[in-house]
Amino acid sequence: MYKAVLFDVDGVFLSEERCFDASALSVWELLHSPRYLGLDDQKHVVRPSEEQIRRIRKEVFVNDQVLDWMKQKGLNSNWDMVYLVFSGQLMLFLKAVYEAKPERVKQLLSEPVTAEALQAVQNEANGFQPRFSGFISLFDRKENLDKHQLLVYFNELAYEWFGIAVDVFSRNSSLWKLAYSVYQEWYLGEQRFEETEGKPVRQKGKKGFLENEIPLAEPEKIRQLLTMLKEKGIQAGIGTGRSFLETEVPFRSFGWFSLLDENHIATASDVMEAEKAYPNRAPLGKPEPFTYVRAYLGREADIRDCLDHPLPFDNGKEILIVGDSVADLIAARKMGCDFAATLTGLTGKAARAKFEELGADYILEDITHFLPLLTTYRLTKH
């Protein structure tokens, strides 16, 4: 019997839809707002209708094909997704500029890419239109790139296209931090962003999506599940790519937070703290196992101990990780833990074949299927 169960959040407890909506709106804003690249300020929106959100997301992520591609590559962070998709369009924009003004492109890429730097090139490629459908083709002949290589790939492409060595494309670059900030504005909304980030928003008027989370099962059934784990003495932990606030607010609203030990809730906030303390170990988000290791050892454990803990765990088979993505499965395998896949992520039931191919130990239609398995004191393999 498992002594600990560590859960992802998005695609397990909560729908990823609002996170993906915020990601699409972030890419759209970075492209069209006059505060950034300013391609078409008439397309920039601050209070989009549901119809507008659906249309923008459909266009940016090409009917979610781009999202699925990134998830299959192990990208689990919406911040990384916004950064990568926008970077692809920025590269296409710069390629158009390069034909007439090569020195302008070299100047931009020789310095950190900031909001101000993007504003400075707004009018350099009049008539340029984003080519979202061309994003995946930017990685032709690079099918085997892992997550870390994806995040720095455009440095390589910049050398290939423009003949200059650059390092502006990376997980801790100014461009990544800009993508992070725009996403946080959309997801948290103006008030919560300023409270948590300690700085004013660049774009006022955003309501945020945090108060409109969609549970993937009846909240009461999830409460029963967490209560049962607690009664059986099984340590229930969380390992998520969300920040702590983005986890706490919806979990409290659904009555789940009090059933968890806060010490075993590891989030993107912990990842960012660890990357700041040990920048040479970055990136540490999934599929790296740090998030789940910290969730298991506890947030009171020293960060260095979490980073240097021998893997796989000696007692790995006593730990079950429950997630919806390939990144979660990879992290589980690095830890020597069993893995249960939920079919409530981006691709839904179509993900079954992939998880079967990768050898997931269990495949669950949704998180509620965990309940009857617990009552038998065992989990039945798929």
Side-chain angles (χ1 to χ4, degrees), residues 75-113:
L75 262 74
N76 199 57
S77 162
N78 288 278
W79 304 328
D80 289 344
M81 292 176 180
V82 174
Y83 153 78
L84 198 64
V85 174
F86 174 70
S87 294
Q89 296 307 310
L90 177 62
M91 284 293 291
L92 291 171
F93 171 85
L94 293 177
K95 190 175 185 180
V97 175
Y98 189 78
E99 295 177 4
K101 301 178 180 180
E103 294 306 317
R104 194 72 186 87
V105 172
K106 292 179 180 180
Q107 179 185 357
L108 175 72
L109 295 179
S110 67
E111 301 173 352
V113 180

Side-chain angles (χ1 to χ4, degrees), residues 82-377:
V82 174
Y83 153 78
L84 198 64
V85 174
F86 174 70
S87 294
Q89 296 307 310
L90 177 62
M91 284 293 291
L92 291 171
F93 171 85
L94 293 177
K95 190 175 185 180
V97 175
Y98 189 78
E99 295 177 4
K101 301 178 180 180
E103 294 306 317
R104 194 72 186 87
V105 172
K106 292 179 180 180
Q107 179 185 357
L108 175 72
L109 295 179
S110 67
E111 301 173 352
V113 180
T114 62
E116 293 72 26
L118 293 175
Q119 291 172 16
V121 296
Q122 283 182 359
N123 301 315
E124 299 291 0
N126 288 332
F128 173 82
Q129 294 295 319
R131 299 200 299 275
F132 298 111
S133 61
F135 173 78
I136 295 176
S137 65
L138 293 173
F139 299 87
D140 282 350
R141 299 173 285 107
K142 299 290 182 179
E143 292 82 3
N144 296 322
L145 293 180
D146 62 22
K147 171 190 169 180
H148 306 306
Q149 293 167 325
L150 282 175
L151 295 177
V152 298
Y153 169 69
F154 290 120
N155 290 322
E156 177 184 334
L157 195 61
Y159 184 80
E160 180 181 327
W161 283 3
F162 312 130
I164 53 175
V166 305
D167 61 0
V168 296
F169 297 101
S170 72
R171 173 62 168 72
N172 290 312
S173 65
S174 295
L175 180 56
W176 186 93
K177 292 174 182 176
L178 182 61
Y180 161 85
S181 183
V182 174
Y183 175 88
Q184 291 301 94
E185 285 187 14
W186 275 110
Y187 192 73
L188 297 178
E190 181 177 345
Q191 181 177 347
R192 286 191 184 278
F193 177 90
E194 294 185 346
E195 290 173 354
T196 57
E197 299 291 329
K199 60 181 180 182
V201 294
R202 287 189 174 91
Q203 175 62 67
K204 289 187 173 295
K206 294 175 182 172
K207 294 177 61 178
F209 292 109
L210 192 56
E211 304 293 346
N212 296 305
E213 292 283 11
I214 304 168
L216 288 172
E218 181 64 38
E220 178 56 35
K221 288 187 177 180
I222 293 178
R223 281 195 291 271
Q224 292 174 17
L225 184 156
L226 295 175
T227 299
M228 189 173 293
L229 286 172
K230 195 170 186 178
E231 290 174 347
K232 290 181 178 294
I234 299 173
Q235 174 186 309
I238 295 291
T240 177
R242 290 172 173 246
S243 71
F244 187 83
L245 177 69
E246 292 163 18
T247 306
E248 180 185 16
V249 171
F251 270 53
R252 285 195 185 281
S253 70
F254 292 123
W256 306 336
F257 194 80
S258 62
L259 297 171
L260 295 165
D261 182 345
E262 189 173 327
N263 185 43
H264 293 287
I265 300 176
T267 70
S269 303
D270 297 286
V271 170
M272 295 179 75
E273 179 186 1
E275 290 179 345
K276 183 177 181 180
Y278 300 96
N280 62 312
R281 305 289 288 269
L284 292 170
K286 302 174 191 178
E288 294 305 312
F290 173 79
T291 308
Y292 285 121
V293 171
R294 190 152 179 78
Y296 179 70
L297 297 180
R299 295 174 65 241
E300 294 177 352
D302 187 85
I303 291 175
R304 188 60 181 262
D305 291 340
C306 296
L307 290 171
D308 293 339
H309 195 285
L311 298 178
F313 278 88
D314 291 337
N315 65 332
K317 291 301 179 180
E318 296 178 350
I319 305 168
L320 177 67
I321 290 176
V322 183
D324 73 302
S325 72
V326 173
D328 295 306
L329 186 149
I330 293 172
R333 293 301 184 238
K334 289 180 179 179
M335 294 170 63
C337 302
D338 282 357
F339 180 73
T342 56
L343 300 180
T344 44
L346 175 65
T347 54
K349 294 182 180 180
R352 176 180 289 276
K354 186 65 175 180
F355 285 126
E356 288 177 343
E357 175 191 340
L358 295 174
D361 299 283
Y362 316 100
I363 298 179
L364 308 175
E365 293 291 320
D366 61 53
I367 193 63
T368 64
H369 286 69
F370 208 94
L371 269 172
L373 301 180
L374 275 177
T375 60
T376 65
Y377 283 84

